Amino acid sequence: TLSLQEAEELISNYNIDKLPTVIVKGELNKTNLNSTLSASGDALIFTSQTAPYYDVLTNSIKGLVVATIITPANCTECTNINPLLDELESNGIIIASATTITEEEASDLIQNYNILTLPSLILSSGASEYPELKQICARLGTEETDGSFILRNIPPPYKNLTTGQIE
């Protein structure tokens, strides 16, 4: 294992853009690694990192998800979103932090994202690093221009913010 500084020459030589990675050198023609690793010069490189990973180009960690749960006022019987977060984590999604805020505290978010029912779940743009999560979000909500995912199709009971009624 090398530090980032020690690895800079290797990163440059082999056009590595995600860490961690594995560089395999030697008698590569005697291996079956070509099916799982990518050729780069005189080596094979692991390029199929799953989130979270370190992005060399942006100098940042990708795939950390921040979850914001917005709960409705006066609706104790409304759907509980927490089991959904547990399910996401059990499927390998890294939830770096989860915050629950009230309808009143979230008024700007509700307005900015045009949220019409509560509870709702906002996942940060780090969620886009998980292809399976993008598929779920496409069925249950929307991807916003800032990269956030809004889960909008929460099962009843929920609060309709247009009517103020529990449905």
Side-chain angles (χ1 to χ4, degrees), residues 38-74:
S38 300
S40 182
D42 64 342
L44 294 175
I45 311 295
F46 177 69
T47 59
S48 300
Q49 293 85 344
T50 57
Y53 61 87
Y54 180 80
D55 185 315
V56 173
L57 302 174
T58 63
N59 196 31
S60 62
I61 297 174
K62 302 285 186 170
L64 297 176
V65 179
V66 175
T68 304
I69 299 168
I70 305 173
T71 58
N74 304 318

Side-chain angles (χ1 to χ4, degrees), residues 3-158:
S3 70
L4 182 58
Q5 292 75 22
E6 295 170 317
E8 282 179 346
E9 184 177 336
L10 294 172
I11 290 169
S12 176
N13 289 346
Y14 294 109
N15 298 315
I16 295 168
D17 56 2
K18 296 178 182 178
L19 297 175
T21 194
V22 175
I23 300 171
V24 180
K25 294 177 74 172
E27 297 181 37
L28 302 175
N29 59 335
K30 296 182 179 181
T31 72
N32 289 329
L33 296 175
N34 287 355
S35 63
T36 56
L37 303 177
S38 300
S40 182
D42 64 342
L44 294 175
I45 311 295
F46 177 69
T47 59
S48 300
Q49 293 85 344
T50 57
Y53 61 87
Y54 180 80
D55 185 315
V56 173
L57 302 174
T58 63
N59 196 31
S60 62
I61 297 174
K62 302 285 186 170
L64 297 176
V65 179
V66 175
T68 304
I69 299 168
I70 305 173
T71 58
N74 304 318
C75 186
T76 56
E77 69 273 16
C78 282
T79 300
N80 181 359
I81 299 292
N82 289 319
L84 177 58
L85 283 181
D86 295 340
E87 185 176 332
L88 292 175
E89 287 183 308
S90 71
N91 284 301
I93 310 300
I94 305 299
I95 306 293
S97 66
T99 305
T100 300
I101 57 176
T102 65
E103 179 179 346
E104 294 78 19
E105 295 169 318
S107 60
D108 287 343
L109 292 171
I110 291 169
Q111 183 176 352
N112 290 344
Y113 292 122
N114 194 30
I115 295 172
L116 302 176
T117 59
L118 292 179
S120 187
L121 174 64
I122 301 172
L123 300 175
S124 67
S125 61
S128 66
E129 297 296 326
Y130 300 91
E132 64 279 5
L133 186 53
K134 285 185 78 160
Q135 291 173 355
I136 292 168
C137 290
R139 288 193 323 266
L140 299 178
T142 57
E143 183 174 2
E144 302 300 311
T145 56
D146 65 0
S148 296
F149 290 93
I150 313 297
L151 294 177
R152 298 177 183 278
N153 301 328
I154 304 297
Y158 57 81

